[in-house]
Amino acid sequence: MRIHPTAIIEAGAQLHDTVQVGAYSIIEAGAVIGAGCIIDSCARIYGNTRMGMNNRVCHGATLGAEPQDFTFTPDRAKPLTIGDRNHFKEGVNISCGIKSTKAPNWQR
């Protein structure tokens, strides 16, 4: 595992041994990051994020934040579930869910 010394990985985050984390990135407790994932600099991954294998999260991306939904309350939060081989470009924001806990087909 290659983690830049300025990255913050909270206790309770689960990172596969092959994960790479860039400078100033933050990964919260509860997040699960699969094999071969690359987290570039200044990315933020919230604790309710589950990520499969070989994903790339580019500079400044945010995954698992609170959604921009006026009906959202923390008790309604559902995990953000990401499959394999995705590429999240610079500055993208993907929020956690609130509508369903049903697992996607690739997890069944």
Side-chain angles (χ1 to χ4, degrees):
M1 190 170 355
R2 290 188 348 209
I3 299 175
H4 192 277
T6 62
I8 299 172
I9 312 297
E10 290 184 348
Q14 299 176 33
L15 281 67
H16 189 272
D17 291 340
T18 58
V19 170
Q20 298 176 40
V21 182
Y24 303 105
S25 288
I26 300 171
I27 302 176
E28 289 186 351
V32 178
I33 312 296
C37 290
I38 298 171
I39 313 300
D40 287 343
S41 62
C42 300
R44 174 85 184 252
I45 300 177
Y46 288 81
N48 57 359
T49 303
R50 313 291 176 263
M51 191 179 302
M53 301 185 317
N54 301 315
N55 291 292
R56 179 149 183 208
V57 181
C58 292
H59 178 84
T62 303
L63 301 178
E66 291 184 2
Q68 296 177 4
D69 182 327
F70 291 125
T71 66
F72 176 79
T73 55
D75 60 306
R76 294 183 63 209
K78 306 293 187 262
L80 170 61
T81 305
I82 298 167
D84 299 334
R85 296 175 301 282
N86 296 285
H87 193 152
F88 299 95
K89 294 301 285 179
E90 295 81 358
V92 73
N93 180 18
I94 309 287
S95 301
C96 67
I98 63 168
K99 304 286 184 195
S100 175
T101 57
K102 184 177 176 184
N105 290 334
W106 59 267
Q107 282 194 323
R108 291 186 206 147

